[in-house]
Amino acid sequence: SDFDLEYPLSPAHMNWASHYPGFVDPDTSKLTVGGSRRILKDVEVVDIGCGFGGLLIGLAPVLPDTLMLGMEIRLQVTEYLQARISALRAQQDRLRKDPSSSEPIPEPQPTDTETSDLPEDAPAFPDASSKDAALIPGGYQNISALRANTMKFLPRFFARHQLSKIFICFPDPHFKVRKHKARIVSSALNAEYAYFLKPGGFLYTITDVEQYHRWILDHFGVQQKDDAAAATEKEHTAGVGLSEDNSKPGDDDVDSESDGESGEARVKELFERVSDEELVKDPCVKVMREETEEGKKVKRNNGPKFVAVFRRLPDPEWS
Ligand code: SAM
């Protein structure tokens, strides 16, 4: 339960130094409110429900100077990802010191008895054998993961306008049976995402459930009135390779029931959908489609992938 989860009192209390040792401020006199060493820059990219971390590992060399964090609610999965990142960093260190090193990466050491009880879909570890491993920009020092319920207490971790990118990849696998309030995309949570994103920042989404894609579009103010509109949407994205959809247009319409949250319309005003032309130039979209564990699974099963990315607009002057 959430009672087991630890959250900092505020972003200023958070010990980021333990997550990003390569970015610790050398000035030992500078400490956080919580008494830990400071880091040289803020976390700017967050992967909500990161799972086994394929997105972060794929993005690490694409944005080597940007600190990125995966947040995951399952204990074993989070510990697995933390061990995976440590092993990749260790491998990079070894390669830097001795490029001809063929020493294998050690298996992660369980820090908890439950770690040995990993879900069946855990990717093989290590995923980059020493033989094929190459030095990458940043050496994986810029990625980390922690256990958290992202539906609660995000303001304990991040300040207003701190983030430049939020990723939500293949969330809520049991979309249809989930209650609205338990969804990672909802009016209330979108308001939070808008708060953390800096103007000009991006919120990336990908799902294999068409109905969920349309729910997302609806909640970010993109008009999706009927199946004809959805079909046009698919044709639109297929042309630039953003949709791999090979399914028939779904019978399910977007659930029009409101979340019952106030300010829904105002949240929508804070985002605009990014055009497909812009998305094909964004390397993060390619990583999101190809490197997430769930994306790979969908590809193996020949399933559809629906992408939608939203730009955070400047704060309007609400009267
Ligand atoms: N994003 C990964 C990918 O694309 O491979 C994992 C997708 S998986 C279908 C959804 C993940 O979200 C699961 O690992 C689940 O544990 C996590 N999750 C669900 N609700 C969450 C929450 N409230 N806070 C953090 N993680 C959550």
Side-chain angles (χ1 to χ4, degrees):
S1 81
D2 284 355
F3 295 114
D4 304 331
L5 299 173
E6 283 178 19
Y7 297 97
L9 272 176
S10 78
H13 287 79
M14 180 65 194
N15 178 359
W16 291 117
S18 62
H19 284 272
Y20 305 99
F23 286 84
V24 171
D25 192 326
D27 185 344
T28 52
S29 67
K30 288 190 196 159
L31 297 179
T32 67
V33 182
S36 57
R37 293 281 294 276
R38 282 187 183 277
I39 51 171
L40 293 164
K41 42 175 72 179
D42 289 331
V43 171
E44 267 196 49
V45 174
V46 170
D47 183 7
I48 301 264
C50 62
F52 297 108
L55 178 84
L56 291 169
I57 291 166
L59 286 180
V62 176
L63 302 168
D65 301 317
T66 302
L67 297 191
M68 298 185 265
L69 181 75
M71 303 182 96
E72 169 56 50
I73 201 165
R74 287 182 290 169
L75 172 67
Q76 299 98 315
V77 174
T78 312
E79 290 188 340
Y80 178 89
L81 175 54
Q82 287 167 340
R84 194 179 181 195
I85 293 170
S86 298
L88 287 167
R89 285 179 182 172
Q91 182 190 58
Q92 291 287 306
D93 285 347
R94 266 203 314 273
L95 282 172
R96 207 172 297 114
K97 285 179 200 139
D98 175 11
S100 63
S101 165
S102 60
E103 217 180 304
I105 307 175
E107 286 287 323
Q109 296 303 309
T111 53
D112 187 285
T113 45
E114 286 182 86
T115 309
S116 54
D117 189 23
L118 263 176
E120 276 172 20
D121 52 350
F125 187 99
D127 64 346
S129 79
S130 284
K131 194 158 58 65
D132 304 327
L135 275 172
I136 64 141
Y140 299 108
Q141 291 292 332
N142 57 331
I143 57 170
S144 189
L146 57 75
R147 186 172 176 227
N149 179 352
T150 60
M151 299 180 92
K152 297 179 180 176
F153 306 127
L154 278 182
R156 301 271 195 102
F157 293 95
F158 310 113
R160 178 169 181 250
H161 292 178
Q162 177 173 337
L163 303 178
S164 57
K165 294 178 198 294
I166 295 176
F167 287 88
I168 301 178
C169 303
F170 301 99
D172 303 325
H174 308 296
F175 173 71
K176 288 185 186 177
V177 295
R178 284 260 186 130
K179 290 207 170 65
H180 294 172
K181 297 239 184 238
R183 288 179 187 163
I184 293 280
V185 171
S186 68
S187 303
L189 285 171
N190 291 1
E192 280 203 11
Y193 304 146
Y195 175 82
F196 300 121
L197 276 175
K198 52 184 98 197
F202 297 97
L203 188 141
Y204 295 74
T205 69
I206 184 167
T207 174
D208 57 334
V209 181
E210 181 182 353
Q211 191 192 4
Y212 198 2
H213 175 61
R214 293 170 63 186
W215 163 273
I216 291 170
L217 293 177
D218 190 50
H219 279 71
F220 283 98
V222 179
Q223 295 296 318
Q224 285 287 294
K225 289 204 178 80
D226 50 29
D227 280 350
T232 311
E233 152 83 11
K234 275 193 234 167
E235 275 170 30
H236 189 48
T237 54
V240 289
L242 290 175
S243 168
E244 288 176 1
D245 184 23
N246 49 15
S247 68
K248 299 262 183 301
D251 295 330
D252 299 314
D253 210 344
V254 169
D255 199 332
S256 56
E257 194 182 321
S258 156
D259 290 13
E261 303 292 340
S262 61
E264 196 170 331
R266 287 189 158 187
V267 172
K268 291 176 181 175
E269 281 176 38
L270 295 173
F271 291 97
E272 75 174 5
R273 189 175 184 187
V274 177
S275 73
D276 296 336
E277 291 71 24
E278 214 175 307
L279 292 191
V280 287
K281 293 185 212 137
D282 183 344
C284 299
V285 173
K286 190 170 175 350
V287 174
M288 177 172 81
R289 297 174 77 251
E290 295 175 6
E291 303 294 335
T292 55
E293 275 73 28
E294 205 59 30
K296 288 179 183 167
K297 203 192 292 176
V298 171
K299 188 173 182 185
R300 281 197 298 278
N301 298 336
N302 222 7
K305 290 180 196 170
F306 300 94
V307 171
V309 181
F310 305 92
R311 187 185 346 265
R312 169 69 159 86
L313 297 170
D315 291 327
E317 287 182 22
W318 285 319
S319 50

